[in-house]
Amino acid sequence: MVIFVETASVKFNSLEEIAKAKKKISYEEFLELCDEDTLAEWVNGEIIMTSPASRKHQEIAFFLQSILHSYVEFYRIGEILGAPFQMKLPLSGREPDIIFVHSDHLDRLKDTFLDGPADMVVEIISKDSVSRDRGDKFMEYESAGIAEYWLIDPTRKQAEFYRLGDDNCYHQVLLDAEGKYHSEIIKGFWFKPSWLWQEPLPPDWEIRRELNLP
């Protein structure tokens, strides 16, 4: 893909060049330069380049997206989308690993991005994303009103679940006595984080049976 941007009389040929020069561009310009292979996010005009995901990261993302998609599609309560797909917030354009958009908010979905907050976001932590996922994104998602934020850490084999309270702040939600997390925004959906640490991951048919899906 041939790309060209001129900012303050300086010519740039790629997002990498813009990021290194620390030049600011609009979100519209950012989208024009992106394709499905772009590993970057837009934050307050600046380009943040990200690293390729590990195999384990991809396996967990695919597993979670698959069971979430099966449940959401069966009950027709919205849409599940995975990276690469942009989510435009007031001061950033993030690319979460997984997002859930409730049926009431499907009007926010555009061809190449979600224009506004998702109802639930999943981020799978990698070595280079710890500070972003636990810091910057945590505050951005909380401020944007994203109802649920799931943080999955494959290295520590740890999953954390945050829910937006009446005070507009995230509060951690613990697992039940059987080790299950019950989503509030995806009504009736639950899963066991311990599934994520199994080698190999449980087969799709087994999880569908647990969730009473056809």
Side-chain angles (χ1 to χ4, degrees):
M1 179 181 67
V2 178
I3 58 178
F4 175 85
V5 167
E6 184 170 344
T7 304
S9 300
V10 180
K11 298 177 181 179
F12 298 96
N13 296 307
S14 70
L15 282 176
E16 288 85 353
E17 289 183 10
I18 297 172
K20 287 179 181 178
K22 297 184 178 180
K23 294 295 183 181
K24 292 191 175 185
I25 62 174
S26 69
Y27 187 65
E28 290 69 28
E29 289 173 321
F30 172 74
L31 288 178
E32 287 179 7
L33 298 179
C34 286
D35 60 25
E36 291 183 354
D37 299 319
T38 301
L39 298 174
E41 295 181 323
W42 181 88
V43 181
N44 199 24
E46 295 185 0
I47 307 304
I48 308 297
M49 303 305 298
T50 59
S51 301
S54 68
R55 188 181 74 174
K56 187 62 178 177
H57 181 289
Q58 294 282 47
E59 288 174 349
I60 290 176
F62 181 81
F63 174 79
L64 267 180
Q65 186 175 343
S66 177
I67 62 174
L68 282 163
H69 181 269
S70 294
Y71 188 91
V72 167
E73 182 179 51
F74 181 74
Y75 288 104
R76 300 181 181 275
I77 53 177
E79 284 200 33
I80 294 289
L81 295 163
F85 195 80
Q86 283 277 322
M87 177 177 67
K88 176 65 171 69
L89 301 179
L91 295 177
S92 66
R94 295 296 189 178
E95 193 173 88
D97 290 303
I98 302 171
I99 61 174
F100 165 66
V101 183
H102 193 277
S103 298
D104 292 343
H105 301 140
L106 291 180
D107 60 315
R108 298 175 186 173
L109 277 174
K110 311 303 178 185
D111 287 341
T112 57
F113 70 103
L114 177 67
D115 190 9
D119 293 282
M120 183 273 287
V121 165
V122 180
E123 294 286 9
I124 301 170
I125 296 173
S126 58
K127 289 182 180 179
D128 79 314
S129 74
V130 175
S131 62
R132 289 197 305 274
D133 294 338
R134 293 191 175 280
D136 298 338
K137 290 185 179 182
F138 188 98
M139 291 185 289
E140 287 175 27
Y141 296 169
E142 182 182 66
S143 177
I146 294 172
E148 289 187 22
Y149 182 30
W150 303 4
L151 271 171
I152 310 297
D153 189 337
T155 302
R156 296 177 180 271
K157 295 184 177 180
Q158 178 177 308
E160 300 169 23
F161 305 92
Y162 295 91
R163 192 173 295 161
L164 204 64
D166 293 335
D167 57 357
N168 294 318
C169 294
Y170 277 141
H171 300 274
Q172 189 169 0
V173 179
L174 301 179
L175 307 181
D176 69 10
E178 296 180 337
K180 299 176 182 178
Y181 171 70
H182 296 264
S183 175
E184 184 175 83
I185 195 67
I186 306 177
K187 297 298 183 184
F189 179 81
W190 63 268
F191 83 103
K192 293 182 177 181
S194 60
W195 292 341
L196 305 178
W197 325 133
Q198 292 182 29
E199 294 284 356
L201 290 166
D204 184 68
W205 64 265
E206 186 177 301
I207 302 304
R208 292 173 69 92
R209 184 179 62 186
E210 288 267 7
L211 296 174
N212 295 316
L213 295 174

